[in-house]
Amino acid sequence: MVPLALAAKLGLPVVDVDGMGRAFPELQMVTFYLDGIAATPMVLADEKGNTSLLSTINNVWTERIARAATIEMGGSTMTAIYPMTGKNIKESGIRNILSLEEQIGKTIRLAKQNNVDPIKEVLNKADGFELFRGKVSDINRKTESGFARGVATFEGINEYKGEKLEVRFQNEHLIAQTEERLLCVTPDLIAVLDAETGLPITTEGIRYGARCVVIGMPCHPKWRTEKGIEAVGPKYFGYEVGYVPVEQLMKKGGLV
Amino acid sequence: MGVYRIGIDVGGTHTDAVLLDQYNQVISETKSPTTEDVSVGIYTAMRKIIDEAKVPREQIKYAMLGTTHCTNAIVERKRLNNIAIIRIGAPATLAVKPLIGVPDDLRAVLGKYVYLIRGGHEFDGREIVELDEAHLYQIAEEIKGKVDSIAITSVFSPVSQTHEQRASEIFKEVLGEETSISLSSEIGSVGLLERENATILNAAVVNVAKTTADGFINALKNEGIEAKVFFCQNDGTLMSIEYAVKYPIFTVACGPTNSLRGASYLSELTDAIVLDVGGTTTDIGVLVQSFPRESSLAVEIGGARTNFRMPDLISIGLGGGTIIRIGEKGEFTIGPDSVGYRLPEKALIFGGDTLTTTDVAVALGKVELGDASKVAHLEKDLLNRIYLNMVNLVEEAIDKMKTSAAPVPVILVGGGSILLPEELKGASEVIRPLHSGVANAIGSAISQVSGQIEKVYALAEIGRETALEQAKEIAMSEAISAGADPQTLVIVDIEDVPLAYMPGNATRIRVKAAGDLAQAAMNEPV
């Protein structure tokens, strides 16, 4: 929302494109990086009045230095990053992403108004899959090296009764698996929704006892390339599983 | 010797009271009007149930009070404290001022003295900047004599409370002990704006809570009852009166919680939809394993976003006093306004001049009440259409709350529930339990006893599993020593906040356990 608020304040247009088509925790994890576009020159600023201008040898270094600086600046900074041409953004960006977000939000709002199941509607809109329904039985999160890392454990309800789901996250949900089955893994999207309203619950918002539906959605095809999987796939985050698209995992009942 | 308890629910229009024995059997019940001076209504209701029950006063050992006074005060923007709002966090947080997104009329009442001062902490416990004590002294002088309650919210205070506590000391030093102070770190949760809103609302209802508590205590004293006194909380557990007057915001949703819990107890059902039909509105909630289904999203109180976990409810403008207006061509509207507590003088069947939902039900022979001849002249066809519409409103609301299309049991409670038919679409059965008119007060009387622990653990030494286990055990034994039945104990809430600024992976763990009041404990002299 920050770019929208800023653009509104400055009277500037916002381009309906981003470099992820989802959320990832590190700043080189964008489709611009896959196409070799540099993240710097980059500016960081905090509320105390500190600013810094970075020029780095590659985007992984930008991430390292910017995160270290951000931690020192209090964990939250405003940045200007990835300067590029219009051609770059057309070729390397993921288009219509703000519109899609708006549509998903609208879907949830209208579902509530029209008394239909919001989760079904979201799944339709985003070509997603219901992975699990459960109650949060534990949420273990810690902040380390500038990330909110952790595991949320869900005890199954309804048809998932007796099963236990673990969702591991680093700022964003990255892998969802039960003891027997792998359900969805990065770069495909995992979202935890409130079972009643369909509204998303962030990793910080998950609370003990909450009833949730965990859904999986296919990521943008740019991420399903070799370089994409290398940059944001399960191995990068230290999970010992290979990437399998969510639609395939669902087809074979998640068995690996 | 028997041990008895009183459960009271003070609503906007009615004060309900019940007297239960140690087996939770209803000995006596009553419903009387809520009065301007709360204690009079409580006193009247209590007097009635005690006289009726004829139990020795000294055997009444517990008195539980559920009240929606704080909620009503916020919703109506009346009887609120004169408050000052202090946010400690500058130069951070300046872009979004306190009370943002709160309705204008509420901001007008609460936003007269708003200060953003330098201080607060980072996520890891470091100071953003040093606390601006000089500014705090200056503010204290400025608001002297103008406010009687102060809300203090510091950035990341769940991680470090030091700035909030220091600010509290300064205000006490300058303004004296009479000024109430609400600290956001006591209310909890990391998100600044929701925590701040909750703290502001808390500061605003301190007087209302105190008046209600005093009213209750005086009413008991006048009756010569020396009972342990509790307030009901949002989550269906009890809290001490001392704590309740400091942090009354934890009582704001106890009304619906009590009515749902009471409905569950009376119907002996654990999973069902509950309709609480009052004079003005019908609240529809869902019981899951005898407790209200909670909304896991931010809840608004009086239009202000907060961080509380509340029963997931919908409210429709249909009650026993809802006004029906009929146009010239036979078109009609149902509510949303109501004659409310003035039903006994306003409704046609009681000789009044206003057509209400109750009149419609009486005219159609669904209910026997008042003087039916006063509504006999009304056209039956039209009334049937109106009634059908009323039922439709309810059925739609039931459907909204359901998670699947399968029919579920529906429990009707509240005085207005006589309006509703024996069958409802989407309901597998419609249950009207005995004593359903005072389900709220019963829910209040059967509230659970809880135990809580909040402690910093060094996870590097003992590991998280062990720390959690230890915390759970302590919370459970606290609950048991407070009188909870070990058989019914469950962990109702766990929260852990990592304290990155302390060595050894220090984490603050808060666990709450709750269970029913043990019968054994009730048999022992207290």
Side-chain angles (χ1 to χ4, degrees):
Chain A
M1 296 305 282
V2 172
L4 293 177
L6 184 67
K9 207 167 172 181
L10 299 178
L12 292 172
V14 176
V15 184
D16 190 1
V17 171
D18 80 359
M20 289 189 184
R22 52 160 297 159
F24 278 121
E26 296 176 21
L27 66 75
Q28 81 283 5
M29 296 174 170
V30 286
T31 47
F32 312 131
Y33 170 71
L34 302 182
D35 290 340
I37 300 170
T40 59
M42 172 198 187
V43 178
L44 289 124
D46 71 14
E47 78 284 355
K48 294 170 271 282
N50 302 304
T51 60
S52 84
L53 175 65
L54 294 190
S55 172
T56 57
I57 54 167
N58 65 39
N59 295 355
V60 175
W61 272 104
T62 325
E63 158 66 28
R64 282 185 198 154
I65 298 171
R67 189 163 302 270
T70 301
I71 293 170
E72 284 310 306
M73 288 162 128
S76 168
T77 51
M78 296 293 137
T79 62
I81 188 173
Y82 282 106
M84 67 183 89
T85 62
K87 186 164 181 285
N88 287 153
I89 207 158
K90 272 187 189 158
E91 285 172 2
S92 305
I94 294 176
R95 299 190 192 188
N96 303 322
I97 194 68
L98 289 171
S99 315
L100 178 63
E101 284 168 15
E102 191 189 6
Q103 282 167 30
I104 291 174
K106 196 172 172 186
T107 304
I108 296 173
R109 181 168 53 80
L110 290 180
K112 186 82 188 163
Q113 270 171 26
N114 300 331
N115 192 22
V116 289
D117 181 2
I119 290 162
K120 243 184 225 156
E121 298 297 306
V122 169
L123 290 177
N124 279 339
K125 183 92 237 166
D127 299 319
F129 301 89
E130 175 179 313
L131 305 177
F132 201 80
R133 276 175 190 263
K135 202 180 116 186
V136 179
S137 57
D138 188 40
I139 170 85
N140 182 1
R141 56 169 93 82
K142 50 183 173 225
T143 310
E144 53 183 21
S145 6
F147 294 107
R149 286 206 174 95
V151 194
T153 312
F154 300 80
E155 267 170 26
I157 51 176
N158 304 349
E159 65 264 42
Y160 301 93
K161 212 169 176 115
E163 283 188 275
K164 212 180 220 185
L165 175 77
E166 281 190 354
V167 175
R168 290 176 187 275
F169 54 84
Q170 177 178 324
N171 294 11
E172 278 72 47
H173 307 297
L174 296 174
I175 184 166
Q177 57 192 345
T178 64
E179 272 157 18
E180 294 87 28
R181 302 183 299 150
L182 176 66
L183 300 181
C184 190
V185 63
T186 176
D188 286 332
L189 289 78
I190 299 163
V192 178
L193 308 181
D194 178 72
E196 303 308 325
T197 59
L199 288 171
I201 306 174
T202 60
T203 52
E204 303 92 64
I206 294 179
R207 292 174 87 161
Y208 175 81
R211 280 157 184 270
C212 308
V213 179
V214 183
I215 68 169
M217 290 165 279
C219 62
H220 192 274
K222 281 183 193 280
W223 290 122
R224 291 184 166 181
T225 57
E226 199 180 323
K227 196 165 179 200
I229 303 294
E230 193 186 313
V232 295
K235 291 273 180 339
Y236 179 87
F237 291 101
Y239 304 123
E240 289 306 313
V241 298
Y243 171 69
V244 185
V246 61
E247 56 271 29
Q248 282 180 36
L249 286 174
M250 286 296 115
K251 215 180 282 165
K252 49 183 186 176
L255 286 170
V256 271
Chain B
M1 186 183 90
V3 173
Y4 298 90
R5 54 180 136 165
I6 291 174
I8 295 201
D9 182 86
V10 186
T13 48
H14 283 113
T15 298
D16 300 347
V18 292
L19 188 77
L20 304 188
D21 68 11
Q22 70 259 49
Y23 307 108
N24 287 345
Q25 296 305 308
V26 178
I27 307 294
S28 59
E29 60 169 272
T30 189
K31 220 174 173 53
S32 65
T34 296
T35 47
E36 180 93 40
D37 173 2
V38 186
S39 58
V40 177
I42 296 175
Y43 182 70
T44 318
M46 208 151 65
R47 192 67 186 261
K48 253 194 220 159
I49 51 165
I50 294 167
D51 286 351
E52 244 174 67
K54 298 189 173 46
V55 300
R57 273 155 213 239
E58 65 276 10
Q59 289 182 20
I60 301 172
K61 293 291 186 194
Y62 298 92
M64 286 84 162
L65 179 67
T67 169
T68 55
H69 263 79
C70 296
T71 329
N72 292 346
I74 295 166
V75 172
E76 294 167 13
R77 285 79 163 113
K78 283 180 189 157
R79 304 181 299 281
L80 299 176
N81 282 69
N82 295 314
I83 68 160
I85 298 170
I86 313 289
R87 184 197 287 172
I88 306 171
T93 79
L94 294 178
V96 181
K97 303 273 187 301
L99 293 173
I100 203 132
V102 168
D104 291 342
D105 57 338
L106 189 60
R107 192 180 314 119
V109 180
L110 300 180
K112 289 181 193 137
Y113 302 97
V114 179
Y115 301 91
L116 273 154
I117 74 154
R118 291 174 66 84
H121 289 81
E122 306 282 16
F123 70 98
D124 55 3
R126 277 180 298 153
E127 288 184 345
I128 297 175
V129 290
E130 204 178 311
L131 180 65
D132 190 346
E133 299 199 0
H135 195 180
L136 281 167
Y137 277 106
Q138 185 199 324
I139 293 167
E141 292 298 339
E142 242 174 83
I143 59 176
K144 207 176 203 172
K146 295 181 185 142
V147 309
D148 51 16
S149 184
I150 303 172
I152 305 175
T153 308
S154 175
V155 173
F156 275 108
S157 65
V159 177
S160 172
Q161 303 181 17
T162 51
H163 285 187
E164 284 187 3
Q165 279 164 351
R166 180 64 193 130
S168 166
E169 282 167 22
I170 291 173
F171 285 120
K172 284 203 166 136
E173 183 188 322
V174 179
L175 304 172
E177 291 289 328
E178 308 82 65
T179 306
S180 303
I181 293 179
S182 307
L183 302 185
S184 83
S185 49
E186 295 288 321
I187 286 168
S189 116
V190 174
L192 176 73
L193 296 179
E194 286 88 359
R195 189 175 77 241
E196 180 177 70
N197 281 345
T199 312
I200 291 168
L201 293 179
N202 188 72
V205 294
V206 167
N207 275 354
V208 178
K210 196 160 179 337
T211 313
T212 314
D214 288 347
F216 192 37
I217 291 167
N218 286 335
L220 285 166
K221 212 186 270 167
N222 289 339
E223 274 300 302
I225 295 167
E226 281 179 42
K228 253 186 160 170
V229 179
F230 295 100
F231 262 57
C232 302
Q233 298 190 80
N234 301 345
D235 62 1
T237 64
L238 299 166
M239 63 175 162
S240 74
I241 210 143
E242 295 77 23
Y243 193 73
V245 297
K246 275 184 90 174
Y247 288 97
I249 200 72
F250 292 119
T251 69
V252 289
C254 75
T257 302
N258 284 343
S259 97
L260 281 148
R261 297 262 302 136
S264 168
Y265 174 74
L266 290 172
S267 61
E268 296 181 1
L269 285 177
T270 55
D271 296 81
I273 286 184
V274 178
L275 267 63
D276 187 348
V277 191
T280 308
T281 57
T282 297
D283 290 335
I284 296 120
V286 182
L287 275 172
V288 180
Q289 291 160 13
S290 303
F291 278 86
R293 181 173 83 198
E294 284 181 332
S295 162
S296 58
L297 301 159
V299 177
E300 291 191 351
I301 306 172
R305 230 176 117 94
T306 66
N307 50 7
F308 294 116
R309 307 176 89 177
M310 301 267 195
D312 187 12
L313 283 187
I314 51 175
S315 199
I316 56 170
L318 181 76
T322 301
I323 299 171
I324 310 278
R325 293 187 181 83
I326 299 175
E328 281 167 19
K329 293 177 198 137
E331 74 279 16
F332 57 86
T333 58
I334 301 173
D337 48 344
S338 163
V339 298
Y341 68 96
R342 299 178 70 190
L343 185 70
E345 40 174 317
K346 286 285 188 186
L348 298 181
I349 51 162
F350 297 120
D353 57 4
T354 312
L355 178 62
T356 65
T357 46
T358 302
D359 294 314
V360 174
V362 171
L364 292 173
K366 314 262 180 205
V367 180
E368 275 182 41
L369 197 69
D371 183 354
S373 71
K374 290 210 158 67
V375 287
H377 64 284
L378 297 167
E379 196 198 323
K380 288 282 178 298
D381 259 11
L382 177 62
L383 292 180
N384 270 319
R385 273 191 290 138
I386 297 173
Y387 190 73
L388 206 64
N389 254 283
M390 288 160 48
V391 175
N392 270 343
L393 282 175
V394 172
E395 287 172 342
E396 270 171 30
I398 292 175
D399 199 44
K400 260 188 205 162
M401 292 305 275
K402 280 165 58 167
T403 38
S404 75
V408 286
V410 169
I411 309 169
L412 302 181
V413 298
S417 61
I418 49 165
L419 292 181
L420 297 180
E422 293 308 316
E423 278 177 24
L424 287 166
K425 217 189 295 166
S428 59
E429 53 180 329
V430 175
I431 301 150
R432 291 168 206 270
L434 207 62
H435 312 296
S436 70
V438 291
N440 274 346
I442 291 169
S444 159
I446 62 165
S447 289
Q448 294 197 313
V449 191
S450 64
Q452 189 162 315
I453 178 205
E454 190 172 333
K455 199 177 153 192
V456 175
Y457 287 88
L459 299 191
E461 285 166 29
I462 59 171
R464 184 168 178 273
E465 297 279 309
T466 320
L468 277 181
E469 277 317 307
Q470 281 185 12
K472 283 183 195 172
E473 265 170 40
I474 299 171
M476 285 174 38
S477 70
E478 289 281 323
I480 292 167
S481 61
D485 175 2
Q487 301 296 322
T488 62
L489 267 189
V490 282
I491 301 293
V492 292
D493 203 8
I494 300 177
E495 198 179 85
D496 48 341
V497 180
L499 306 173
Y501 62 100
M502 284 165 64
N505 199 358
T507 293
R508 199 173 74 236
I509 296 180
R510 186 157 72 183
V511 177
K512 186 172 183 179
D516 296 337
L517 201 54
Q519 287 179 9
M522 300 199 57
N523 289 328
E524 286 162 19
V526 180

